[in-house]
Amino acid sequence: LFLGKKEIDASLWEDLETALLQADVGVSTTRYLLDKLTGRVSRQTIASPEALLSELKSLLIELIDKPGLVFKPKLAGRPWVLL
């Protein structure tokens, strides 16, 4: 996705959105990530696809690595599957 790209363009944004949705990140999380990244690109904190990838990784880690974040499934006696 990022390999061989020399600039951040509309094609890269579309490909990134598609990749996140296909990875089952979810619509709201995808929107959150893209909003954060586009904001940083427009403020010129990110200028290259490599920096964009690095920032995406940081944002994903930030989302997952929250203190006190505990997975508590609501079972309610129904079967469920965790993938």
Side-chain angles (χ1 to χ4, degrees):
L1 179 66
F2 293 92
L3 295 176
K5 297 278 187 176
K6 296 189 188 306
E7 63 182 9
I8 300 171
D9 57 9
S11 171
L12 179 60
W13 289 116
E14 284 183 37
D15 292 345
L16 178 56
E17 181 177 21
T18 301
L20 289 169
L21 291 171
Q22 287 178 343
D24 205 19
V25 170
V27 174
S28 60
T29 304
T30 297
R31 188 79 262 141
Y32 170 81
L33 293 168
L34 292 176
D35 287 347
K36 286 281 197 184
L37 292 170
T38 54
R40 292 175 187 179
V41 167
S42 68
R43 288 191 308 272
Q44 298 179 345
T45 354
I46 300 173
S48 69
E50 293 82 16
L52 183 67
L53 176 59
S54 177
E55 190 64 26
L56 173 61
K57 288 177 182 179
S58 295
L59 284 171
L60 289 169
I61 290 169
E62 181 183 303
L63 283 174
I64 294 170
D65 193 27
K66 289 189 178 184
L69 182 65
V70 178
F71 176 66
K72 293 182 182 176
K74 297 177 184 177
L75 302 177
R78 299 183 347 223
W80 61 283
V81 176
L82 175 66
L83 301 175

